[in-house]
Amino acid sequence: MVKRIVKKMYILFLKNRWKINGSGATMLADSYLKDYRESRHSIGKVLGIHRRGFTVPDWCYMGLNKRNYVNYLSNARYYGMHPLNGRYSAWIDDKLTLKYLCAGTELDQYMPEYYFHINARGDVLCLPDCPGEKTDAAVGDIAALLRQKGELAMKKIAGSIGEGFYKAEYCEGKYLLNGEQLDAEGFCRKTATLREYLVTEFLRPHRELALYCPETVNCIRYLMGVRGGKTLPLKGYIRFGTKRSGYVENYNAGGVLCYLNADGEFSEGNVIDFQRNRNCMVREHPDTGRRLEGKIPMWENIVEACGAFHEHFPQMEYLGFDFVVTSDGKVKILEINSLTSLDAIQLDGSILDSRVGAFFQERM
């Protein structure tokens, strides 16, 4: 009770301090409180960073100091923009809602197959792509589909940054969840504990991208804005998985982040040095040693998909598409983010000083 009261007071303080709405102040409070729990810096250092509107990880990874921070978009200002899509953010923040909105349109071709929904009560519900009759289901049906498909993805409906993601596998009588071997009973028992999860097809990366890491989908983030009714590409990057990042490829989990130019080309990468708590530039993948250089396959299809989405949903002003170019030559949308990670768009310099800086300045 005391903790909840203190947090509410802290949120109110941040709301007044930065003149931001309730949801933005809550996100900022959660990030700041995480800093106090996990940061290796002194309390004085953390307070100094917070007073300037930044979280400790972003301050460190973006290489900020007392002189240059004023040129960057801060976490406080960025969270204060949320929700940039207003009430329409609900259309994309929930993966299941997004799937249903795209059904029956040309956008459906970009959506993965959705098989089951495990709801808040633990009920297993059949979704449109579930094979067979759409009847009452149970965790045993998920196990049966896994035996048929060999691989499935299990992810939170409203999750982000790979939180709570499971790769489910079946091979020669063995069940695995993120590499943990289970028998049939153990798999069903673990699956039965999940709440508000989707069970979907597991996507494999295109062969050219799998050369860097075959165990993750190597997701492409395409950040798009809308000004004057026209689409405006804001930022593009691809993330490759590593041994450290495990079954997700997120930069903050230890993955490699490579920025893309307007033609979908990349030439170097960013990784976190967790020992020194800073960003480092690399030219080779840390595990495979493969040169981080190339062009995203089917790049034109990715750009086309973004344009098609804007035509169907012109209410959206800020979209962080997560694309996968699959092993069978398709472009799929894993999810669409309404507030993409701030560090990822400023590791290479202030977004405010870039060619698209006006888009963000208008909304500060």
Side-chain angles (χ1 to χ4, degrees), residues 35-201:
D35 284 347
Y36 290 121
R37 291 193 304 269
E38 300 180 2
S39 177
R40 293 176 291 177
H41 295 286
S42 67
I43 292 295
K45 173 79 169 179
V46 173
L47 282 170
I49 293 172
H50 288 180
R51 280 199 301 269
R52 293 172 173 87
F54 292 86
T55 65
V56 171
D58 285 3
W59 180 275
C60 296
Y61 300 156
M62 293 189 293
L64 304 185
N65 54 50
K66 294 178 181 179
R67 295 180 299 278
N68 68 3
Y69 83 91
V70 295
N71 300 319
Y72 284 73
L73 176 62
S74 70
N75 298 89
R77 299 300 184 195
Y78 188 52
Y79 290 155
M81 300 177 190
H82 186 71
L84 277 162
N85 296 309
R87 62 192 180 95
Y88 302 109
S89 279
W91 291 359
I92 60 174
D93 290 339
D94 181 303
K95 298 180 184 69
L96 188 55
T97 300
L98 177 62
K99 172 69 173 178
Y100 281 128
L101 286 173
C102 292
T105 74
E106 66 172 299
L107 301 177
D108 200 25
Q109 65 181 303
Y110 301 116
M111 300 302 296
E113 292 190 340
Y114 281 32
Y115 302 124
F116 296 103
H117 170 204
I118 306 173
N119 68 14
R121 293 188 301 274
D123 301 327
V124 179
L125 310 176
C126 293
L127 296 178
D129 299 318
C130 182
E133 296 182 7
K134 306 298 187 293
T135 58
D136 292 339
V139 289
D141 295 290
I142 299 176
L145 183 63
L146 178 58
R147 290 193 296 271
Q148 176 187 336
K149 297 287 187 180
E151 295 176 313
L152 293 173
M154 303 166 70
K155 51 194 176 184
K156 292 183 177 182
I157 286 182
S160 60
I161 64 172
E163 178 187 9
F165 174 84
Y166 290 101
K167 177 186 179 183
E169 302 171 84
Y170 177 82
C171 183
E172 298 180 350
K174 299 176 182 177
Y175 297 82
L176 293 97
L177 273 179
N178 284 359
E180 178 187 0
Q181 186 171 319
L182 303 165
D183 58 18
E185 182 181 348
F187 174 81
C188 291
R189 186 166 55 246
K190 176 71 174 180
T191 304
T193 66
L194 303 178
R195 296 293 182 270
E196 291 297 1
Y197 261 75
L198 294 172
V199 180
T200 75
E201 69 172 312

Side-chain angles (χ1 to χ4, degrees), residues 12-27:
L12 182 61
F13 165 74
L14 293 175
K15 183 178 180 180
N16 293 329
R17 165 70 177 84
W18 295 104
K19 303 296 186 291
I20 58 180
N21 62 33
S23 61
T26 299
M27 288 189 292

Side-chain angles (χ1 to χ4, degrees), residues 318-339:
Y318 187 66
L319 300 158
F321 293 90
D322 277 351
F323 285 106
V324 177
V325 182
T326 67
S327 57
D328 55 353
K330 297 178 181 177
V331 170
K332 296 291 184 178
I333 297 175
L334 280 185
E335 63 183 25
I336 304 177
N337 298 268
S338 58
L339 199 72

